[in-house]
Structures are given as C-alpha cells and as structure tokens.
C-alpha cells in the first residue's frame, strides 16, 4: 500500500469513527451546544460537510474553486462559519448526516483517483493529495472532539493522531506570524508518546529547545480543544514555551483557544 493510500485510509477511519458517534443522536442532541461558542453538534458536522465539499471542488475543478477562494478573501473571518450555518438552516439532522456521508465518500474517491504528483489548490499554497487528506483528518478529529465533549464521551486515542501532531508541528511558524510575531529561526525537537507508548518525534534530536508530552495532549493543544494548563505538554526554552501558548494547527486568524478547566502547567 502506498503512503498516500494509507493516509486516505486513516481519513476514512477517522470519519467512520465520528459517524458512529453521531448516527444515533436524537434531534435534541443534534441541537446541543458544543464547546465552540454558538456551534451545536449539527454545526460541527455541517462544517465538516462544507469543507469536504469545497475540498472536492478544489480536487476536481480548479477554476470553480478559484471563484470560491475569491469569495473567502472578501470575508476571511466569517466565510467558514457562514457556510456551516447555511447548511444547518437548510437541512434536518438526518439529511445533514446523509449529505456529510455523501460528500466525504466523493472526496475520498477523488483523492484516491488523483494522479501521482497532483497539487490541489487551497486557501493558501497548493497541497499534495496526502497533505489534503491529513488536513481533513485533523479537522475531522478536532470537530469530533467538540462533539464528544458535548456528549460527555471519552474517545480512545488512536495512532491517527500522529497526522494531527504533524500538522501542528508544521504550522509552528504560522502560529507566530499570524499573531505578528517573528517566528524562531531554529527548529524545535518535539517528542510525543503515542497511545501505545511509542515515541513520535519531530525535529533534530539535539535541538536545544524542545516540547514533550502525550500525543493526545499535544493534539488537543494545537487544535485549541483544551487549554495548555490542563495538559501534560511541557516546553524547554523560551521560544518553545511561547509556542505552546499560541500553537494552532489550522489556517486562518489566530484562534481564541479554550479557557482552562483546572490543573496547572
């Protein structure tokens, strides 16, 4: 199996796991608030639906996607929320669920059929097929975490979290720059322990500044699904320490993050 196919398989599995979580919800549960202000569970799935459909457009019709990207430039801080809101307003929960399933299946097929070396346009630099699939894993997991929190469900961490961590590490400089802060010139060493105790590492082993902690906690941090004070992620070095306060794995404006629930650094 190719590396690209393996990433797409992980995307399918992440989506299927979330599907199991929401498929039996009542209409009242679909309307339940999540930790994201103003977003219900339906909004979370609608956001994934909207983004999958836009990703499919980018993968299959670059010219049409260019028009979509131009509209995003006109309202960079609201176009995503507006897209999700329009879907929620238009669809009842079961219709929304069906549309999400249909969209993600079509995106999966398009990614699998893409020729080797394909570059997919996006709201920044073009992405490889593997990068697009990885980005969709990150978003599916992050929005799934909001849904799990809303339902009071504790999810079992999987090895798929390595994809989320990879995006978080690669987005380090962006997290600084989007806040108007000069990004550090030196790379950090990031060492994370996976759910089975395996070491997942990024950066040079001898880098003087480093970040360590559980893989799950790092992913919660970079997706801004939990506050740093509530996580067992540690930094050595002033730049690495600052990064943990501002890290984000997603594009767009700097996120406000989540308020601490308790605990300490």
């Amino acid at each position: 199996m190719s590396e690209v196919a393996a990433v797409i398989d992980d995307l399918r599995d992440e989506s299927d796991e979330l599907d199991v979580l929401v498929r039996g919800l009542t209409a009242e549960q679909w309307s339940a608030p999540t930790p994201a202000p103003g977003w219900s569970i339906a909004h979370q799935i609608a956001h994934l639906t909207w983004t999958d459909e836009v990703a499919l457009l980018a993968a299959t019709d670059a010219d049409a996607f260019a028009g979509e990207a131009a509209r995003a430039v006109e309202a960079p801080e609201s176009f995503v929320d507006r897209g999700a809101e329009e879907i929620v307003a238009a669809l009842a929960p079961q219709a929304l669920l069906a549309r999400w399933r249909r969209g993600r299946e079509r995106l999966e097929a398009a990614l699998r059929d893409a020729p080797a070396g394909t570059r997919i346009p996006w709201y920044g630099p073009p992405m490889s097929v593997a990068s697009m699939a990885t980005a969709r894993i990150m978003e599916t997991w992050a929005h799934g975490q909001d849904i799990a929190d809303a339902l009071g469900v504790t999810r079992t961490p999987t090895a798929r979290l390595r994809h989320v961590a990879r995006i978080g590490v690669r987005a380090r400089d962006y997290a600084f720059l989007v806040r108007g802060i000069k990004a550090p010139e030196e790379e950090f060493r990031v060492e994370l322990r996976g759910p089975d105790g395996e070491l997942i590492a990024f950066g040079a082993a001898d880098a003087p500044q480093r970040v360590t902690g559980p893989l799950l906690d790092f992913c919660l941090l970079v997706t801004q699904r939990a506050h740093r004070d509530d996580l067992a992620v540690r930094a050595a070095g002033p730049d690495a320490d600052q990064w943990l306060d501002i890290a984000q794995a997603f594009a767009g404006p700097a996120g406000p993050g989540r308020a601490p629930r308790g605990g300490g650094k």
Side-chain angles (χ1 to χ4, degrees):
M1 178 186 299
S2 71
E3 180 179 350
V4 174
V7 178
I8 297 172
D9 284 351
D10 281 348
L11 171 58
R12 178 199 61 211
D13 292 346
E14 190 66 40
S15 299
D16 286 349
E17 183 175 293
L18 179 54
D19 196 307
V20 170
L21 191 60
V22 300
R23 66 178 55 166
L25 298 183
T26 64
E28 183 179 9
Q29 287 174 311
W30 277 96
S31 298
T34 68
W39 276 34
S40 65
I41 289 176
H43 283 92
Q44 299 283 351
I45 294 299
H47 172 78
L48 292 176
T49 301
W50 180 87
T51 312
D52 284 344
E53 291 175 354
V54 173
L56 175 64
L57 184 68
T60 58
D61 191 336
D63 290 340
F65 174 76
E68 184 69 33
R71 285 187 288 275
V73 172
E74 297 172 359
E77 296 190 7
S78 62
F79 78 100
V80 174
D81 287 1
R82 186 172 64 246
E85 185 63 53
E86 289 173 354
I87 292 175
V88 170
L91 299 176
Q94 290 307 307
L96 169 57
L97 182 58
R99 180 167 165 178
W100 175 49
R101 288 170 173 167
R102 184 168 60 251
R104 74 183 202 240
E105 289 168 359
R106 293 179 64 198
L107 176 59
E108 178 187 340
L111 295 179
R112 291 191 189 280
D113 291 343
T118 292
R119 305 291 295 179
I120 301 173
W122 199 236
Y123 297 103
M127 304 173 74
S128 69
V129 172
S131 292
M132 176 60 79
T134 300
R136 299 310 307 130
I137 291 171
M138 183 272 292
E139 279 215 281
T140 302
W141 180 82
H143 290 286
Q145 185 62 44
D146 282 343
I147 292 171
D149 286 343
L151 295 172
V153 172
T154 299
R155 300 190 296 175
T156 301
T158 73
R160 295 189 298 272
L161 287 176
R162 70 189 185 279
H163 300 298
V164 181
R166 182 177 294 109
I167 290 182
V169 171
R170 294 183 65 182
R172 185 201 73 168
D173 289 0
Y174 179 81
F176 282 91
L177 297 175
V178 77
R179 290 166 175 79
I181 305 171
K182 186 177 184 297
E185 295 183 2
E186 63 182 35
E187 69 174 346
F188 303 155
R189 175 70 169 182
V190 178
E191 295 184 350
L192 308 169
R193 287 292 172 184
D196 295 323
E198 70 278 18
L199 177 65
I200 299 170
F202 306 90
D206 60 351
Q209 299 199 61
R210 57 187 53 229
V211 168
T212 59
L215 175 62
L216 172 60
D217 285 23
F218 182 78
C219 292
L220 289 168
L221 180 76
V222 298
T223 58
Q224 297 190 355
R225 261 54 189 182
H227 192 277
R228 176 184 179 181
D229 289 355
D230 299 322
L231 302 170
V233 182
R234 304 289 180 263
D239 295 330
D241 187 70
Q242 184 180 27
W243 179 42
L244 295 189
D245 286 332
I246 62 174
Q248 65 180 69
F250 49 88
R258 299 282 164 81
R261 295 180 180 175
K265 280 188 186 179

